[in-house]
């Protein structure tokens, strides 16, 4: 099936009522037929609903639909994109381990990896996404995962999947891509050998800035990389917290299953069924919206490139962009709605961000409504001067999340703001 059809139908089988729309199951718990049924569910002898912190029928449709679009085997919803990223790390790393992360990532991912998980005893080693060969010198036998963004936010670099995956596979290390900005419509990381993807569903998935959520997706046959791999002993040894279950021996997608059984059970950042239902509505139009976001962003990038007050535009769809070749190689159908441009200094950037009418000054991306952000004074404010440089966020950088309003109206708005 083509993705526009998957976006409308995947993961949903009509119930006895024949409801066309996916039902919203707002419930905390589910009645068991009898104690044997309950025991079988807890022992995974039978799969079914137990409690909404672990699973929910509406969330299940969202997960199956998202996995189908991404080309993965299974997905698991979380309460936010940050929870998805944290769980992807916590599912493999513990105190004494290290992870390797691209310098150019979302500010929240920088603070999570550089500060919060450090307090859990997990070390983060950073590499420049523009120079993936740096990874080789960072790897040791306690390295558990390599994390990077397919299109980086906000520096708008495109990751060289082949180069990163080759080093990871040489050392049998899992790779995890934050595919939020690209979405499964424009980029399919599993086709390039990536093992796990994470997304903030708060962005293009809802498409209308309606709800915070996240999702983790697992590729087909991941067990082959994990089974017997000494780096991932806890997938290969009995889990004492789940009566001796060995994840790598189950006929089920093991990474997402462990997030569900161990991390959602114990840490609990589960999505609200209502939010899952909103994501399902959003996904129906995701392929259509991504085409419009991408074509409008390209037109705006070309307009900005020709503007005398703009020193530099970062957008992989531009032929002049340093990421153009990688964008052509790994993306299909466009390069999403995120772009950034540099003006003379911080004050000029702030003035532009304060002067638009249609672009709203908001710290979000991936909304149908266009957004303008000044990262140095907002999303990246907590970063040190060095972290700002590493993340590619100079004071004069303005970020746009191009929405799906009329393209010419957006260009007119920017023309006025640039003065
Ligand atoms: N990943 C990327 C690329 C993001 O841009 C964001 C938020 O802006 C996140 C993750 C975090 O997602 P959430 O806000 O849903 O926790």
């Amino acid at each position: 099936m083509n993705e526009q059809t998957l976006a409308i139908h995947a993961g949903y089988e009509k119930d006895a009522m024949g409801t066309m729309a996916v039902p919203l199951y707002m419930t905390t718990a589910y009645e068991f037929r009898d104690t044997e049924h309950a025991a079988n569910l807890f022992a995974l002898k039978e799969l079914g609903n137990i409690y909404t912190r672990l699973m929910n029928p509406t969330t299940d449709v969202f997960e199956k639909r998202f996995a189908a679009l991404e080309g993965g085997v299974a997905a698991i919803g979380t309460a936010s994109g940050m929870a998805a990223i944290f769980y992807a790390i916590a599912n493999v790393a513990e105190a004494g381990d290290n992870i390797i992360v691209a310098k150019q990532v979302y500010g929240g991912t920088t603070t999570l990896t550089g500060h919060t998980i450090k307090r859990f005893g997990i070390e983060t080693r950073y590499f420049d996404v523009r120079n993936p060969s740096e990874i080789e010198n960072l790897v040791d036998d306690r390295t558990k995962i390599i994390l990077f963004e397919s299109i980086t936010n906000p520096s708008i670099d495109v990751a060289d999947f082949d180069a990163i995956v080759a080093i990871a596979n040489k050392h049998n290390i899992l790779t995890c891509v934050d595919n939020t900005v690209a979405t499964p419509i424009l980029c399919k990381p599993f086709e390039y050998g990536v093992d796990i993807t994470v997304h903030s569903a708060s962005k293009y998935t809802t498409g209308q800035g309606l709800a915070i959520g996240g999702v983790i997706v697992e590729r087909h046959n991941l067990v082959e990389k994990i089974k017997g791999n000494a780096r991932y002993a806890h997938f290969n040894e009995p889990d004492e917290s789940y009566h001796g279950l060995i994840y790598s021996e189950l006929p089920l997608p093991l990474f997402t299953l462990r997030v569900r059984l161990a991390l959602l059970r114990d840490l609990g950042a589960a999505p609200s069924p209502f939010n899952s239902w909103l994501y399902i509505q959003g996904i129906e139009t995701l392929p259509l919206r991504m085409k419009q976001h991408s074509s409008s962003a390209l037109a705006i990038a070309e307009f900005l490139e020709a503007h005398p007050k703009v020193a530099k535009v970062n957008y992989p769809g531009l032929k002049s962009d340093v990421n153009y070749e990688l964008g052509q190689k790994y993306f299909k159908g466009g390069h999403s709605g995120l772009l950034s441009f540099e003006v003379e200094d911080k004050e000029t950037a702030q003035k532009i961000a304060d002067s638009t009418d249609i672009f709203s000054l908001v710290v979000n991306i991936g909304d149908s409504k266009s957004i303008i952000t000044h990262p140095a004074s907002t999303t990246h404010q907590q970063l040190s001067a060095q972290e700002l440089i590493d993340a590619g966020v100079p004071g004069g950088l303005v970020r746009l999340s191009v929405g799906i309003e009329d393209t010419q109206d957006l260009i007119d708005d920017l023309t006025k703001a640039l003065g």
Side-chain angles (χ1 to χ4, degrees):
M1 259 192 266
N2 281 312
E3 61 192 11
Q4 181 60 55
T5 310
L6 292 174
I8 307 276
H9 294 289
Y12 178 52
E13 289 183 16
K14 292 183 195 67
D15 60 14
M17 307 290 280
T19 47
M20 284 293 281
V22 176
L24 167 55
Y25 289 95
M26 287 304 292
T27 181
T28 305
Y30 309 85
E31 188 180 20
F32 307 119
R33 286 193 303 274
D34 50 33
T35 49
E36 188 190 350
H37 177 220
N40 283 344
L41 292 178
F42 275 86
L44 300 179
K45 285 184 187 153
E46 223 179 294
L47 297 180
N49 296 316
I50 297 174
Y51 190 62
T52 284
R53 173 150 39 77
L54 301 173
M55 72 283 281
N56 172 275
T58 307
T59 300
D60 185 56
V61 175
F62 162 59
E63 293 168 342
K64 290 199 166 101
R65 192 163 293 185
F66 207 97
L69 278 179
E70 189 96 296
V73 63
I76 183 152
T78 55
S80 67
M82 287 318 301
I85 296 167
F86 175 59
Y87 285 0
I89 296 168
N91 209 27
V92 288
E94 61 189 31
D97 289 339
N98 64 76
I99 63 170
I100 298 179
V101 179
K103 278 178 194 162
Q104 299 88 345
V105 283
Y106 166 62
T109 307
T110 304
T111 47
L112 169 71
T113 55
H115 300 277
T116 302
I117 63 168
K118 197 170 163 187
R119 304 190 66 203
F120 298 169
I122 301 169
E123 181 200 341
T124 302
R125 302 171 177 181
Y126 292 99
F127 73 101
D128 186 343
V129 80
R130 295 169 193 160
N131 189 8
S133 62
E134 285 181 11
I135 296 172
E136 188 67 58
N137 292 332
L138 303 176
V139 170
D140 66 18
D141 59 3
R142 297 295 301 261
T143 304
K144 294 300 165 83
I145 202 159
I146 300 174
L147 171 68
F148 57 102
E149 295 178 358
S150 43
I151 291 194
T152 64
N153 173 18
S155 67
I156 331 281
D157 284 298
V158 176
D160 187 346
F161 288 92
D162 287 351
I164 298 170
V165 168
I167 302 173
N169 285 350
K170 185 175 143 200
H171 297 281
N172 255 321
I173 301 170
L174 296 186
T175 45
C176 176
V177 164
D178 183 334
N179 203 27
T180 300
V181 176
T183 78
I185 306 306
L186 304 177
C187 178
K188 299 213 188 302
F190 298 140
E191 290 180 1
Y192 310 121
V194 164
D195 299 310
I196 302 293
T197 61
V198 288
H199 292 254
S200 166
S202 330
K203 318 295 177 191
Y204 291 106
T205 306
T206 96
Q208 292 159 334
L210 293 175
I212 297 288
V215 61
I216 304 174
V217 194
E218 170 173 355
R219 75 161 163 89
H220 286 269
N221 302 323
L222 187 59
V223 66
E224 288 168 6
K225 192 167 185 179
I226 290 181
K227 199 170 175 127
N229 185 339
R231 283 188 199 277
Y232 306 106
H234 59 298
F235 278 92
N236 291 299
E237 289 165 358
D239 179 353
E240 295 314 328
S241 80
Y242 216 100
H243 48 66
L245 181 129
I246 301 176
Y247 287 96
S248 64
E249 289 184 354
L250 293 174
L252 294 167
L254 73 177
F255 193 93
T256 40
L257 183 72
R258 190 174 182 281
V259 172
R260 194 181 297 285
L261 297 187
L263 301 181
L264 281 187
R265 178 194 62 187
D266 300 343
L267 302 175
S272 153
F274 181 66
N275 289 357
S276 299
W277 186 82
L278 290 174
Y279 307 143
I280 291 166
Q281 315 313 310
I283 289 174
E284 289 196 358
T285 57
L286 186 63
L288 300 174
R289 283 186 285 111
M290 293 320 293
K291 280 191 195 119
Q292 178 65 23
H293 282 294
S294 300
S295 67
S296 224
L298 179 58
I300 289 171
E302 284 167 349
F303 155 77
L304 288 169
E305 196 173 38
H307 198 285
K309 286 202 179 153
V310 176
K312 185 165 183 264
V313 183
N314 304 305
Y315 188 66
L318 280 181
K319 287 212 169 72
S320 59
D321 192 87
V322 60
N323 289 289
Y324 180 75
E325 296 298 330
L326 291 173
Q328 294 299 308
K329 183 171 176 187
Y330 297 117
F331 281 68
K332 292 194 180 67
H335 297 90
S336 194
L338 199 63
L339 63 92
S340 63
F341 62 97
E342 278 173 48
V343 290
E344 198 181 348
D345 51 26
K346 190 173 172 191
E347 290 65 40
T348 315
Q350 282 173 319
K351 193 162 166 276
I352 294 166
D354 286 338
S355 309
T356 51
D357 290 326
I358 302 176
F359 282 87
S360 305
L361 184 59
V362 169
V363 286
N364 194 18
I365 58 169
D367 198 319
S368 296
K369 301 167 273 297
S370 289
I371 288 170
I372 190 163
T373 311
H374 182 232
S377 54
T378 52
T379 48
H380 287 64
Q381 195 195 65
Q382 279 94 22
L383 270 58
S384 68
Q386 188 56 45
E387 284 174 330
L388 278 175
I389 292 165
D390 288 345
V393 188
L397 189 82
V398 177
R399 188 185 68 189
L400 299 181
S401 171
V402 176
I404 56 174
E405 302 95 337
D406 179 76
T407 311
Q408 191 55 49
D409 285 343
L410 296 176
I411 291 176
D412 292 347
D413 196 31
L414 291 170
T415 307
K416 188 191 65 109
L418 280 153

